[in-house]
Amino acid sequence: MPRPLATIVASGNGANALAAGMRILARGGAALDAVEACAKVVEADPADTSVGRGGKPNVLGQVELDASIVDGTTHRTGAVAALTGYLHPISVARAVMERTPHVFIVGQGAARFAGEIGAERARNLTPSTRALWVEKLREAGETPATIRRRARLLPVVRKTVGEERGTVNFLAVDAKGNVASAVTTSGWAYKYPGRVGDSPVIGAGNFCDSRYGAAACTGFGELAIRGVTAKTAVDRLAQGMPADMAARAAIGDANALDDAAFNIVVLTARGVHAAATNREGRRYAWLTAGMREPLTAPRILVRRSRARGARASR
Ligand code: GLY
């Protein structure tokens, strides 16, 4: 069978980073290097307030970052969660995969490990995200000084968390047919300290297998953890379901649990891709070898119906 054309797929906020990955794939490079390179572009961009530097902080004003990377050929994986003070959680996740006997390191241990390998440090709370945090606290009747003195954070977190849970996904297949996937995020804005979403949880927010394809999620991460969504989507590809049906089915599963915003991107090992959502106006992006610029398209919309099950529409 002919090899697939090298392709990278992203959530819509990853469109501008796709060229960085394609530069690697175009010279015969690996899907794993491509998805890491793309993720690093978004992590370093303070304009994306859902990822890396400039990502929205937890309720205490700390930017806690989650990231994971999967090599679909070797099934090696690496992840970090609640990492603070470093610019590229995706590269720390990759180092967990390649340099430790572990697959997942969190919190102070993740920061310690990042320091130990000489990862680049960063002040991830920017003046503008600090201002957003202070305003969110003000709406909740708090200030930076009062929140730090509070014994009980939960009553405040109930007021500060909303639907702000951006993330960026990258799925790639290279010219040799290797599939890789990377997900990186600052998680749910103004969350309880230590809250971890789906992005670093392998099988929930991120999964791939070079035999079948890849899937990754954005939106309400708790749903992807409860539904083991990315692994389930790749299992559906393995069973022969087309990418668009696997994406629809994932949103249907999420809709059966909750009405929160939820999105998925899917890429088959042959380079066919699709994306679905339960919210209007969400897009995804892709770049295939030979294309001059990334394209974006609306995701398949799968609305939540009152009746059990979801109603799908374009
Ligand atoms: N999907 C990102 C998160 O829930 O943290």
Side-chain angles (χ1 to χ4, degrees), residues 47-226:
D48 191 320
T49 59
S50 69
V51 177
R53 201 166 86 79
K56 288 182 184 161
N58 68 19
V59 72
L60 292 177
Q62 302 153 335
V63 182
E64 292 183 320
L65 302 175
D66 302 339
S68 66
I69 191 160
V70 183
D71 179 335
T73 300
T74 63
H75 276 226
R76 292 181 309 161
T77 65
V80 290
L83 173 66
T84 55
Y86 288 87
L87 185 61
H88 290 305
I90 196 67
S91 299
V92 182
R94 184 167 177 175
V96 170
M97 177 174 90
E98 293 181 337
R99 297 171 67 171
T100 79
H102 309 307
V103 296
F104 198 176
I105 303 182
V106 307
Q108 289 181 356
R112 181 181 177 131
F113 173 67
E116 207 166 307
I117 61 169
E120 188 174 351
R121 292 180 184 274
R123 244 181 232 274
N124 287 322
L125 189 68
T126 62
S128 64
T129 43
R130 187 178 190 285
L132 292 172
W133 168 62
V134 171
E135 174 58 18
K136 183 61 71 174
L137 290 182
R138 193 192 62 72
E139 288 166 16
E142 300 286 334
T143 68
T146 63
I147 195 78
R148 288 190 188 111
R149 287 199 299 270
R150 265 191 163 269
R152 297 176 67 235
L153 290 178
L154 190 54
V156 184
V157 169
R158 288 195 193 286
K159 295 182 204 163
T160 55
V161 292
E163 274 230 327
E164 296 166 87
R165 316 176 188 94
T167 295
V168 69
N169 303 148
F170 294 100
L171 313 176
V173 57
D174 64 31
K176 296 186 179 118
N178 298 301
V179 176
S181 52
V183 179
T184 181
T185 188
S186 49
W188 198 346
Y190 318 119
K191 61 198 168 188
Y192 200 100
R195 177 266 183 187
V196 174
D198 60 320
S199 303
V201 178
I202 303 301
N206 184 6
F207 192 72
C208 69
D209 183 316
S210 295
R211 292 170 296 177
Y212 312 118
C217 306
T218 52
F220 188 13
E222 281 72 0
L223 293 185
I225 295 172
R226 289 165 64 192

Side-chain angles (χ1 to χ4, degrees), residues 7-11 18 25 31 35 169-173 179-183 205-208 213-217 264-268 273-274:
T7 299
I8 320 178
V9 177
S11 48
L18 290 173
L25 297 185
V35 292
N169 303 148
F170 294 100
L171 313 176
V173 57
V179 176
S181 52
V183 179
N206 184 6
F207 192 72
C208 69
C217 306
I264 190 166
V265 288
V266 176
L267 171 69
T268 73
H273 48 82

